[in-house]
Every structure is written in C-alpha cells, then in structure tokens.
Amino acid sequence: MTENIKTTLRDSAAIRWMVLMFLAFAMFCSYIFMDILSPIKDLMQSTRGWDSTAFGTMQGSETFLNVFVFFLIFAGIILDKMGVRFTAVLSGLVMLIGATINWYAVTDSFIGSGLETWFNNNLNYIPGFDELGISPFYLGMPASAKFAAVGFMVFGCGCEMAGITVSRGIVKWFKGREMALAMGSEMALARLGVATCMIFSPVFARLGGDIDVSRSVAFGVVLLMIALIMFIVYFFMDKKLDAQTGEAEEKDDPFKVSDLGKILSSSGFWLVALLCVLYYSAIFPFQKYAVNMLQCNLTFTEVDPESFWAGTAVTVIQYVIMLIVAAASFASNFSKRKEMKYGLLVVAVAALVVFCYMGYMRQSAETVFAVFPILAVGITPILGNYVDHKGKAASMLVLGSVLLIACHLTFAFVLPMLKGSGVGGIMISYLTILVLGASFSLVPASLWPSVPKLVDAKIIGSAYALIFWIQNIGLWLFPMLIGKVLDSTNPQLVSDLRNGVITPEQAAVSYDYTAPLVMLACLGVAALVLGFILKAVDKKKGLGLEEPNIK
C-alpha cells in the first residue's frame, strides 16, 4: 500500500504541475474569449451600432443562464456526481459551441440573413423578465448583439463550469500540498489571457487596414478548440491517477440535495461568497470597459501608419516581451539560489519597463491596459506560498479591498485631470493598472484555498458552484449597470449621437466614466467591511482561515 502511494502521479511534483499547466492553459484560452470584444468596444459601436447599453447588456449575458436558470448549481451537482474528468471535457465543449454562435453573430454573413430579421422582430419583450428588469434583451437592441448574447450565454455556462471544475481538480491533485500556490499560479497564468486579448484582439480586427471585428472572435474560437484538447489530455491523466489510487469520486459519497443545507448554514461560507462577488464585480465588468475608459481619459496621438510602431511585427515583439516578464517573475518564485532569484527579478523588471515603453509608443489604450495581469503573475505565487506556509488569508482579503478602492478612485478623479498630458496620464495609468492587477491576485491566492476549510470534501464542487453562482449575479448585473450608467450620465453625448451632431467614432471615445468608477469603488468599500467581519468570525469560530494550509 505504501509503495502504491509513493508511485502515484500526484506524488510526482513534475506530473502534478504538468496537470496544472494543462488546466491553466485551458482557462487562459477561456479568459481570452471572455474579454475578446472588450478592447474593441469602440469598433463595435462604429461598425455594428452597439451603444454602451447594448454592449453592456451583451457582456452581462454571459452569466444570465448561470444565475437565472441556475445552471451553475446544476454544474456543481454534475461535478460532484460525474467527477472532474467528465465535467472538464463537457465544459470545454459547451464553451466552444457558445463561442461559435458568438462569432457568427458578428460576421458580415449575419447581416441581412434570416436570423438577423428574426432577432430584429423577436426577443423584444420577454414576459416576467422585462417586468423584473432582468431581461438579457430589449426593444431596439441590435440583432447582432442579441444573437451574440445567446452565444455568450452558452459560452458562460461552459466557462463557469470550467472554473469550478478546475478549482476542484486542483484540490484533488494538490490537497495537503502546495494548494494555495497551485491555485494562485493557475489563476495568474490564466490571467495572461487578458493581456493576450488586449494586445491581439484589436490587431486581428484591423488586420490589413480593413476593419472586421469577427476576425478577433474567430481568434478566440480557435483557442477554445485548443482548450478542449487540454481538457481531453487532463481526462486521461486524471483517469490514470484514479486507477493508481482506487479513488472514484463520482461513486463514493454521492451528492444529495440536502448537502446544500450544510453549505448554506455556514456563516464563513456566506462571507467568503459575498467577498468573492464584490471583488469579481469590481474587476471583471471593469475589464470590459477599461480600454474604452482609457480612450476617454487619455490623450493619444495618431502613430504614422508607415512607422514600426504601427506595424504588426511590434505586436508580436511586445507579446514576447510580456512572456519574458511573466516567465522570469513566475520562475523567480521557485528558484532556490539567491543569485538566480534576483537575476530573474532584474530581467522581469527590465522587460516590464520595455513592455510599458512599447505600449506608450504604440499610443493605444489596449496596449496600455495589457499590463493588467503581468504583476499578478509574479506576486500571486508569492502570496499563495505565503498562505500555504504562514496563513493570513483573511488579512490579505482586507488588503486587497483597500487597493481596489484606491485604484478605482484614481481612475475616477486623478486620471481625468491628466488628460492632455500624454506621458503623465499613461504613467499613472500603468501604475494604477499594475496595482489593481496585484490586488486581484489576492483572491485566488487566499480566498479559493479557504473553501475546503469551510465544507466537507465530498461537496466541494457544490460549494464552489454556489460561490460562482453568487459571483455570477454580480457579473451579470454590473456590465449592464455600467453601460446604463454611462448612457444616463452622458445625456448630451447620447443626444448628440442620435441627432447626428457627432459620429459614432467620436462618441465612442468621449464618455465621462466618473460615476461607474465611483460605483465600483463602493464595491471595494463593502468588501473591506466584509473582510473585517470575516476576520472576526474566523477568530471566534476557529475556521482556520488565518492558519497555514501546510502544517
């Protein structure tokens, strides 16, 4: 028996981390598609007629089925009953189907088709949902946005199913080991998808000087095909692990609906879930508007189309430099020799400076915001390793809330004052975006590894599903809310656009983002309050959130 334990796949650090890389790359691809339209919001308005309300409604639709049809709850039940392998492959397939629908909705082939006519004439009023104000469609919403929303709903089901499945898979392979480090590393690497999306999505949309937003979405669809392959590879590795250990999670301790009561009765669970929804609602919806926010608050000068900085080669070079920053900073966490560790950090910092300089020279908001996840890649493993060995997960969540508030208020009040100051505005933007990304890295490193301390092992999948479901309420609401707040707080701009005083291109980069940013900062304030409450509850009930994972 002892010999079997020593020779299982998960007892090999190399195999264990290889499995993590497969899961992380699959999530990397899903993160790219999640925000594939975010850096080209202005193009969606100018080429497809999507105003901020239409854009926000479509983006918020990603979580509609998860929230209001309770698909995420069913996904948790499927995960607990069918196991990680089956659910992983299913989630990859569902994401791919939804992404393909989304792609067709923004192609030229959709324009003038029977589907466009049908969507123009239907889904303008949905009984019940319209009265409650939660409909994913509305009268006057462009047909392409409606159909894209349908695809995004399907994609969202697969994406959130993949999220809880990957979390459960990491628990299975890393429990009792470096679990927080693994979760933090997976999320940090996956978030490179945000930078990848910001850098390449506009390039594909403008390729050859001909604007076609469907090319960007097609890029995401191809990557989701690769993600499905990654999940299939994971399927066979996980199956071999179960054969070695004799585990059969889908058969032992089968899921019971009554188990949900055990989860919902935990005050610690509710605090963690609410913290999660506040954090994610202040970040993910913001990502969808961040590029446009920078376009509206920074002064960019047009780059000579014949220059190096306007070419496609610079895109590839900048992306390679980003990978150097990520790889060097990430690897520094695992280097045991001080000389190597600090050498890698010097390389990472130098490459980061070059990356930021190139973003400045390219004079585009999307290349500025691409820096968002880079610092997180370097510090998330540090935070995860700290939680594994020292604890203090709840304290880290409090720190993250403070940073979140500071960043959104900086965007709201400091950045507009620097409009017209090219260098100053971009420097403040870079600094604030890096700190915001770093603050968000506190969530996967400290919050997700805390869930196994709050619920029984056999219902971890359902616990993650419930947290994701609660989180999805915010991810559905706030993209729509930001869009509606933008239109309502910029009435003159909307009026001028409708009356033809300004063009859609001019309107797309002229919004005042102060109100939405203050709203997001308020989410950070609420998260800060809950963080202090969580610390108090943890101390009173001994939940172990401030204790290390490895003892």
Side-chain angles (χ1 to χ4, degrees), residues 246-264:
E247 294 178 1
E249 60 183 16
E250 63 268 30
K251 295 180 181 178
D252 294 343
D253 296 322
F255 174 84
K256 300 183 184 67
V257 175
S258 60
D259 289 334
L260 293 177
K262 299 176 183 178
I263 301 173
L264 298 175

Side-chain angles (χ1 to χ4, degrees), residues 41 48 73 94 108 174 223 237 248 253 260 271-272 304 306 344 347 424-425 441 458 483 502 504 523 535:
K41 176 182 179 290
R48 291 296 183 268
I73 305 301
V94 172
D108 290 337
F174 285 87
L223 288 176
M237 296 189 72
D253 296 322
L260 293 177
L271 287 170
V272 167
D304 181 357
E306 300 300 321
L344 288 170
V347 170
S441 67
K458 74 184 183 75
I502 58 175
L523 294 179
K535 283 175 62 72

Side-chain angles (χ1 to χ4, degrees), residues 162 230 233 250 352 355 382 422 447 461 507 530 546:
M230 295 294 100
V233 173
E250 63 268 30
L352 178 61
F355 180 87
I382 297 174
L447 189 149
L530 283 180
E546 295 283 83

Side-chain angles (χ1 to χ4, degrees), residues 178-462:
E178 55 280 90
M179 186 166 64
L181 176 60
M183 284 192 171
S185 299
E186 178 270 323
M187 189 56 71
L189 294 174
R191 282 189 185 137
L192 285 178
V194 178
T196 303
C197 170
M198 297 298 162
I199 291 174
F200 284 105
S201 179
V203 171
F204 282 109
R206 295 185 172 95
L207 200 62
D210 176 36
I211 295 178
D212 184 353
V213 293
S214 69
R215 285 194 296 256
S216 297
V217 184
F219 166 63
V221 171
V222 171
L223 288 176
L224 287 177
M225 293 178 184
I226 299 174
L228 178 58
I229 295 172
M230 295 294 100
F231 279 138
I232 291 172
V233 173
Y234 170 80
F235 178 97
F236 289 105
M237 296 189 72
D238 194 76
K239 186 175 182 179
K240 185 174 182 179
L241 173 65
D242 280 1
Q244 292 177 331
T245 62
E247 294 178 1
E249 60 183 16
E250 63 268 30
K251 295 180 181 178
D252 294 343
D253 296 322
F255 174 84
K256 300 183 184 67
V257 175
S258 60
D259 289 334
L260 293 177
K262 299 176 183 178
I263 301 173
L264 298 175
S265 62
S266 168
S267 59
F269 166 83
W270 276 108
L271 287 170
V272 167
L274 290 174
L275 271 168
C276 179
V277 70
L278 291 170
Y279 263 113
Y280 278 64
S281 296
I283 297 289
F284 281 124
F286 170 72
Q287 283 179 194
K288 299 181 186 300
Y289 290 87
V291 170
N292 189 237
M293 183 274 294
L294 293 175
Q295 290 171 335
C296 296
N297 283 316
L298 294 178
T299 301
F300 293 104
T301 57
E302 187 174 351
V303 178
D304 181 357
E306 300 300 321
S307 71
F308 167 74
W309 301 108
T312 54
V314 70
T315 303
V316 177
I317 295 171
Q318 189 181 19
Y319 190 67
V320 170
I321 292 173
M322 184 202 76
L323 294 179
I324 294 173
V325 177
S329 59
F330 187 78
S332 69
N333 292 287
F334 302 92
S335 178
K336 295 181 179 179
R337 292 173 49 202
K338 283 189 175 181
E339 297 83 358
M340 177 64 72
K341 182 181 182 69
Y342 291 122
L344 288 170
L345 287 175
V346 169
V347 170
V349 171
L352 178 61
V353 172
V354 174
F355 180 87
C356 292
Y357 173 74
M358 295 183 74
Y360 167 72
M361 292 301 294
R362 294 182 68 185
Q363 289 292 297
S364 63
E366 55 268 19
T367 56
V368 173
F369 189 70
V371 79
F372 173 68
I374 294 181
L375 186 58
V377 175
I379 71 168
T380 301
I382 297 174
L383 298 172
N385 193 47
Y386 185 86
V387 172
D388 280 331
H389 293 89
K390 302 293 184 181
K392 305 298 181 184
S395 298
M396 285 190 177
L397 294 173
V398 171
L399 175 60
S401 301
V402 173
L403 296 176
L404 194 67
I405 297 167
C407 289
H408 282 312
L409 291 180
T410 299
F411 285 133
F413 298 108
V414 178
L415 203 57
M417 292 191 296
L418 296 173
K419 189 174 179 66
S421 172
V423 176
I426 288 182
M427 286 183 64
I428 291 296
S429 297
Y430 273 135
L431 180 61
T432 309
I433 291 167
L434 283 168
V435 173
L436 184 65
S439 74
F440 197 36
S441 67
L442 293 165
V443 179
S446 54
L447 189 149
W448 294 120
S450 299
V451 177
K453 297 179 180 181
L454 304 174
V455 299
D456 293 336
K458 74 184 183 75
I459 53 174
I460 288 177
S462 297

Side-chain angles (χ1 to χ4, degrees), residues 48-83:
R48 291 296 183 268
W50 295 14
D51 60 13
S52 292
T53 300
F55 182 83
T57 302
M58 196 289 298
Q59 294 282 31
S61 68
E62 178 198 349
T63 59
F64 182 81
L65 294 179
N66 290 324
V67 174
F68 297 107
V69 187
F70 303 102
F71 182 83
L72 252 178
I73 305 301
F74 295 126
I77 295 173
I78 292 171
L79 176 57
D80 282 330
K81 197 165 185 66
M82 302 301 294

